[in-house]
């Protein structure tokens, strides 16, 4: 139902609006028809009636209306104009007449020509909307120019008094340049008419100097009266006014000496009658812009900052140049780091940093003014000062009753100004000047007086001064003193707690309280404090001379801090119960004295004297308090220090003294002593004189009533070394199954450490075959005995085989390591006892076995005989072979192998002792001359059987060298070059260095003088370098050389005979 | 008697000979050394000006420091002009020559001191002050030569003393032109003086060979 009603309603609304629109259309049609009718009517009557009524106004007070007169109407014709606006008012007017303004609305105007016959009156409908408002043409009152700034100044009157009410006015101003009047500026400017005549101003700055070309200015206006509904139109342009050029200007280029912001644009022109050929700014040429006549201009864009004398702009004509200088720069930066302080509370010095340079110098540079707002005083910055020292600062006199100052620093140049401010309480910003006239005066040996001068009026504040005290070879010390400030005067303070007889260097600096800044340090002043009596007696010790008759008193010079002056002399006195005696004065340079004392107990007293007096006496008893249970201990140090400890002994009341000396020196000795307080039980003795491997004796004494008792004795090393020599040992006795070895002690100097024990090695071996190469390497048949009981000096080796050669080696060891070896060969006796037992015990069965035994013995005898034939030596005896001749039979004789046997052996190791024991070599030897190696003094051993066996396989020397085996793995046991040269050695060396396995026989080592050959296996056992004369599969010679650097076998080739030759009779 | 009289007369003449100034060459060395000294000083100043002008023209900026810059000599009429016609120069006598030198340097020194006051940088001021001192020395040296030759020093005429008038009357550019011309005129004057003193020297010391050698050794 509702929908329907809406549908029904809507059309009725649409119909209404349509009706209304139709009605307005109708009205418009009607109006148009009326207007057409009227126009028609007018046109038809044009010829005979006034027509074309038109009204304008320029001030809204009066409307100027005019119409066309009817044809035939003469000049000066009069009309009656009637205006119908409710009432009818008629005016008798001429053509173009003024009527008062009409209120908005249509008015019927009747214009009736008077006295004109044949013409009829006309009717017009007049509305304000048909009236035009055209303001009166404005008039320029004045146009002036400021050439220096290129500014035009325009002045005109708005004539507002003729307007009835307030209205807005828009002025349009045009600036024209050059004679052809190019518009360079067109600008609008709004004002208000306020019913009064008002003079308006307008300024304009030209981008081109006004001198360059003629400039014209015109103005017109538009009155925007909101109450007026008619047409509003611009007024006509005023008459143009122009700027007259300055008369008779000398300069030709404009602008002159212009200061301009860097980066801006600038036009420079040249006014001339001559033709300008070129223009340049600096050294850059610019295109010319032609102005009137021959005048030209150039445009400089984004000008860069000038150098100190400005930027030159030059115009060249035929025979002359004209120019100007432009100063492009920046306004001053805000003064930075403005700081005001005072040195003396008389004058404030303000400093600042000008910031970015302005590029303007000389008369155009920035001027600074420091203004203080509380007092209203100011100071100006003198530019000359700046160029002198490039330091921006200003001085402001302190006012007597003012402490707080509010400073404003103003910076100004032709391009702008800036400022920065600072509020400062000047009593908190005191930076005193450097103290002068520092003087030092003695008071006593530990105190001096310092005086100095400090300029400034510090009466209102406190000064804080710092004294630096420098002592030679000591850290400097700073002491602060606070004092009341005074007016430019001397200050005085006492420095105490100094050391007597010490050179001090003083200097001083001052600040104020509250602290702001330290002054600079004053000059240094040196002073030597006076002497005082020595604070302590000298450190004394005494020793009895070796004959026990004289007592030698030693003392140490007093350290400078205890001497308190120059020690001039010492007084030594000694007193017993009965008497006191003094020695004559001992000069200060001497530090010991010898006394002849009897057996009485004396107290010896030593006193040191300087110019101020004598020290307290140092006393020591002559006699030592005996000690029954004296223990000797061992100690080990580190580096050059050694730690000693002892048990606390409450009886020891004064102190402990540690005395030490080098124990290897015989007789009483004294290297140094050290006193330790009585509450200590340990000390570290340190001395640069301590050397490793040297034994020192330390004696710890306790003190009781100035008497000293030796508490214990310590022997010590700062560092242990291995023994320098091997112990001498001899074979005392041999039997069939044992050897008794006896050795001697190693002297202390050679021992070089605490003896920890001996190592004794023995193994089966003959002199020739046994290469005891690295006994430590643990060969299975090498037996080792470690003798740790160092008091043991003999050793019996039992369970040996009879009639066997043994190689014995003895070495000592200390905490520092193993000493060198000494070796010896011993052959045990035949086991006769065994034989006897073997004969006696089986007596019972001898008969049965006898036959068998007889056969066996018979066979054995044959063999033995054969052996005897080959070997001249006698079995069952130890033989020492001394000469080449048939060796005498000497049992168990030890022969020291001379060093000469191994001339190349530069090892420090002790040469080995050799006991050469003859035996029966199982091979046939033959001595042959080896021509190649003869020069080395050696001969070659040729093992016939082996050689014959291997000779076919032996490679020539060259091939050996190039053997690709490369030293690795297995090497043939026999490479047997017949001739070898020294040259071969290098190659061989290389091979052997990498060899894992060593040949049992390397002929090189036998044949050659080869000091560098690595064949040598043990530096202490030359035997090893001898080739094994044994068959390759009988006697082992398999231990690889341990020491490749060890020297070579002596004498090159070797043979038994050679060996004999080289024996100890050399 | 006559012969004795003649002898006595001869002796008297001989006795008086050393007193005759014209012959007494050992006592007073004459103006020669001071002319030589003045000549040397002139050459030294020439050398000194070369470095000063380089610095100063660089300070003035381009185009003043460009080698081919040669503006007309306008507006600097007050500067004493060094260039003269050769005939005129030859016709000058020693006194006139020296007087002109003296007057020129008096004026130039005065201008130079004005230049110093204008200079913006401290370094330039130091150089200028140093040169002024040297020029003052040259002026004193010329005065010494004139005194030795017995010529009076020219009295400065009142009102002709050149005054330095910086300010609006003189634009910076014209000032720079003046500075340029001052340096140029100074250089020309030093050339001319060297020539003048060389001529004077030759005239005063007839044994010229030794002197020439001496000069060559000192030549710049």
């Amino acid at each position: 139902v509702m929908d329907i009603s809406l549908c029904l309603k809507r059309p009725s609304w649409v119909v209404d609006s349509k009706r209304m629109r139709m009605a307005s259309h109708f009205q418009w049609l009607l109006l148009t028809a009326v207007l057409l009718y009227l126009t028609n009517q007018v046109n038809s009557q044009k010829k005979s009636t006034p027509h074309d009524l038109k009204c304008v106004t320029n001030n809204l007070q009066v409307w100027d209306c005019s119409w066309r007169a009817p044809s035939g109407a003469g000049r000066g014709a009069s009309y009656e104009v009637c205006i119908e606006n409710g009432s009818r008012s008629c005016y008798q007017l001429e053509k173009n007449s003024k009527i008062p303004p009409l209120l908005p609305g249509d008015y019927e105007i009747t214009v009736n020509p008077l006295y004109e016959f044949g013409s009829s009156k006309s009717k017009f409908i007049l509305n304000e909307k048909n009236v035009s408002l055209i303001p009166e043409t404005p008039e320029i009152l004045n146009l002036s120019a400021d050439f220096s700034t290129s500014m035009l100044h325009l002045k005109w009157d708005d004539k507002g008094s003729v307007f009835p009410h307030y209205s807005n006015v828009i002025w349009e101003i045009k600036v024209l340049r050059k004679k052809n009047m190019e518009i360079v500026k067109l600008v609008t400017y709004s004002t208000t008419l306020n019913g009064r005549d008002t003079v308006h101003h307008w300024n304009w700055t030209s981008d081109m100097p006004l001198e360059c070309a003629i400039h014209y200015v015109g103005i017109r206006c538009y009155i925007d009266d909101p109450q007026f509904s008619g047409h509003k139109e611009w007024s006509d342009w005023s008459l143009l006014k122009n700027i007259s050029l300055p008369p008779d200007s000398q300069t030709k280029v404009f602008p002159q000496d212009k200061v301009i912001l860097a980066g801006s644009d600038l036009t420079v022109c040249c006014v001339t009658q001559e033709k300008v050929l070129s223009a340049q700014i600096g050294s850059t040429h610019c295109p010319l812009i032609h102005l009137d006549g021959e005048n030209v201009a150039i445009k400089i864009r984004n000008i860069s900052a000038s150098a100190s004398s400005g930027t030159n702009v030059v115009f060249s004509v035929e025979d002359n140049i004209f120019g100007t200088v432009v100063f492009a720069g920046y306004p001053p930066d805000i003064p930075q780091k403005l700081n005001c302080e005072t040195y003396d509370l008389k004058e404030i010095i303000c400093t600042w940093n000008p910031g970015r340079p302005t590029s303007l110098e000389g008369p155009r540079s920035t001027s600074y003014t420091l203004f203080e707002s509380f007092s209203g005083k100011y100071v100006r910055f003198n530019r000359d000062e700046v160029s002198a020292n490039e330091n921006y600062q200003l001085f402001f006199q302190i006012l007597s009753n003012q402490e707080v100052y509010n400073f404003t620093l103003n910076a100004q140049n032709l391009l702008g100004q800036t400022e920065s401010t600072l509020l400062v309480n000047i009593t908190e910003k005191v930076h005193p000047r450097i103290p002068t006239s520092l003087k030092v005066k003695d008071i006593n040996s530990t105190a001096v007086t310092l005086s100095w001068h400090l300029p400034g009026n510090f009466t209102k504040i406190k000064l804080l001064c710092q004294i630096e005290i420098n002592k030679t070879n000591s850290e400097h010390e700073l002491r602060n003193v606070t004092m009341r400030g005074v007016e430019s005067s001397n200050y005085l303070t006492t420095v105490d707690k100094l050391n007597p007889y010490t050179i001090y260097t003083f200097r001083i600096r001052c600040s104020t309280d509250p602290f702001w800044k330290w002054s600079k340090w004053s000059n240094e002043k040196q002073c030597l404090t006076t002497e005082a009596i020595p604070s302590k007696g000298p450190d004394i010790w005494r020793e009895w001379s070796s004959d026990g008759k004289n007592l030698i008193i030693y003392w140490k010079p007093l350290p400078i801090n205890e001497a308190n002056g120059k020690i001039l002399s010492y007084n030594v006195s000694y007193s017993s119960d009965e008497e006191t005696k003094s020695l004559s004065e001992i000069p200060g340079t001497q530090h010991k004295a010898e006394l002849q004392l009897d057996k009485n107990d004396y107290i010896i007293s030593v006193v040191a004297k300087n110019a101020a007096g004598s020290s307290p006496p140092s006393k020591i008893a002559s006699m030592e308090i005996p000690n029954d249970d004296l223990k000797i201990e061992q100690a080990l140090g580190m580096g050059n220090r050694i730690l000693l400890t002892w048990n606390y002994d409450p009886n020891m009341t004064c102190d402990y003294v540690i005395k030490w000396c080098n124990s290897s020196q015989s007789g009483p000795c004294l290297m140094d002593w050290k006193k330790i307080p009585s509450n200590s039980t340990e000390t570290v003795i340190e001395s640069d004189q301590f050397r490793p491997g040297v034994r020192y004796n330390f004696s710890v004494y306790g003190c009781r009533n100035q008497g000293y008792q030796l508490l214990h004795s310590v022997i010590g090393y700062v560092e242990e070394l291995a023994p320098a020599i091997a112990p001498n040992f001899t074979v005392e006795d041999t039997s069939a199954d044992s050897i008794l070895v006896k050795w001697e002690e190693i002297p202390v100097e050679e021992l070089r450490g605490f003896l920890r024990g001996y190592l004794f090695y023995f193994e089966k071996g003959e002199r020739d075959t046994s290469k005891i190469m690295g006994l430590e390497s643990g060969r299975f048949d090498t037996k080792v005995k470690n003798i740790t009981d160092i008091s043991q000096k003999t050793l019996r080796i039992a369970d040996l085989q009879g009639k066997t050669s043994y190689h014995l080696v003895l070495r000592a060891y200390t905490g520092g390591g193993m000493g060198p070896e000494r070796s010896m060969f011993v052959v045990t006796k035949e086991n006769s006892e065994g034989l006897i037992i073997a004969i006696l015990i089986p007596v019972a069965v001898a008969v049965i076995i006898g036959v068998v035994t007889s056969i066996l013995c018979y066979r054995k005898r044959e063999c033995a005989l054969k052996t005897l034939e080959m070997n001249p030596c006698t079995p069952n005896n130890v033989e020492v072979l001394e000469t080449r001749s048939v060796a005498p039979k000497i049992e168990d004789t030890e022969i020291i192998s001379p060093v000469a046997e191994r001339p190349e052996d530069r090892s420090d190791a002790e040469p080995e002792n050799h006991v050469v024991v003859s035996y029966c070599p199982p091979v046939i030897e033959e001595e042959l001359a080896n021509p190649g190696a003869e020069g080395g003094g050696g001969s070659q051993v040729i093992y016939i059987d082996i050689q014959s066996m291997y000779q076919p396989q032996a490679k020539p020397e060259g091939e050996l060298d190039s053997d690709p085996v490369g030293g690795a793995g297995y090497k043939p046991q026999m490479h047997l070059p017949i001739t070898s040269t020294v040259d071969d050695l290098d190659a061989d060396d290389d091979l052997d260095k990498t060899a894992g396995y060593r040949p049992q026989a390397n002929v090189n080592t036998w044949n050659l003088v080869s000091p560098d050959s690595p064949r040598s296996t043990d530096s202490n056992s030359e035997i090893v370098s001898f080739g094994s004369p044994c068959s390759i599969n009988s006697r082992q010679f398999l231990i690889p050389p341990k020491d490749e650097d060890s020297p070579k076998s002596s004498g090159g080739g070797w043979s038994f005979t050679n060996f004999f030759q080289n024996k100890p009779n050399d | 008697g006559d012969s004795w009289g003649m002898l006595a007369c001869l002796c008297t003449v001989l006795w008086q000979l050393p007193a005759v100034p014209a012959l007494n060459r050992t006592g007073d060395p004459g103006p020669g050394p001071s002319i030589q000294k003045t000549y040397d000083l002139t050459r030294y100043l020439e050398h000194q000006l070369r470095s000063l002008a380089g610095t100063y023209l660089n300070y003035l900026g381009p185009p003043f420091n460009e080698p081919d810059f040669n503006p007309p000599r306008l507006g600097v009429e007050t500067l004493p002009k060094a260039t003269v016609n050769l005939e005129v120069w030859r016709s000058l006598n020693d006194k006139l020559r020296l007087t002109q030198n003296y007057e020129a340097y008096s004026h130039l020194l005065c201008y130079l001191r004005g230049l110093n006051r204008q200079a913006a940088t401290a370094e330039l001021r130091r150089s200028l002050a140093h040169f002024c001192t040297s020029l003052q020395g040259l002026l004193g040296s010329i005065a010494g030569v004139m005194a030795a030759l017995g010529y009076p020093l020219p009295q400065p005429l009142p009102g002709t003393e050149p005054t330095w008038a910086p300010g609006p009357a003189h634009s910076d550019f014209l000032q720079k032109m003046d500075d340029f011309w001052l340096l140029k005129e100074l250089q020309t004057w030093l050339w001319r003086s060297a020539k003048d003193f060389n001529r004077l020297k030759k005239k005063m010391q007839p044994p010229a060979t030794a002197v020439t050698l001496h000069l060559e050794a000192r030549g710049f």
Side-chain angles (χ1 to χ4, degrees), chain A residues 539 556 656-660 672-676 683-686:
Chain A
D539 185 2
K556 293 180 182 174
Y656 292 97
V657 166
I658 317 291
K659 168 207 124 172
W660 64 93
D672 202 355
W673 74 92
K674 183 181 179 184
K675 282 202 169 139
I676 317 290
T683 186
V684 172
I685 307 289
E686 193 171 350

Side-chain angles (χ1 to χ4, degrees), chain A residues 76-94:
Chain A
S78 292
Y79 301 88
E80 185 194 47
V81 178
C82 294
I83 301 164
E84 194 73 52
N85 58 344
S87 62
R88 183 186 173 91
S89 48
C90 292
Y91 308 91
Q92 195 170 335
L93 301 167
E94 291 182 357

